[in-house]
Amino acid sequence: VNGPTGGPGGCVTSSTYNDLMDDIKEIGLGYKNTNGDRGHFHGGIVRLAAHDFMDFDQSDSVGGGADGCIDFSAGINNGLGD
């Protein structure tokens, strides 16, 4: 979602949110539940969301936090790109 300056940010509409949830559900259901792949997929989604907001720093002028951005090169996010 683009913010007022054309870059990342702004609000996600209910429609976009629902589309995303439908996509995650459809992908997750594509994994067999017998070997743990479905659980690993959904666990990865939770981990990705957590790492999005974990970079919040109140003393940083950029802020970070739940902004929909992940810096895969940051040490705190090691392994997320795998």
Side-chain angles (χ1 to χ4, degrees), residues 2-69:
N2 288 330
T5 61
C11 296
V12 175
T13 65
S14 294
S15 176
T16 300
Y17 178 83
N18 289 333
D19 289 346
L20 179 60
M21 291 300 294
D22 290 342
D23 289 345
I24 291 171
K25 181 179 178 181
E26 183 178 340
I27 293 168
L29 289 174
Y31 288 104
K32 293 182 180 178
N33 204 24
T34 56
N35 59 4
D37 285 346
R38 187 179 297 168
H40 287 134
F41 170 75
H42 288 291
I45 296 294
V46 170
R47 184 173 180 220
L48 188 65
H51 278 266
D52 176 29
F53 67 77
M54 285 173 42
D55 66 350
F56 177 75
D57 183 355
Q58 189 172 7
S59 66
D60 188 346
S61 63
V62 175
D67 56 5
C69 298

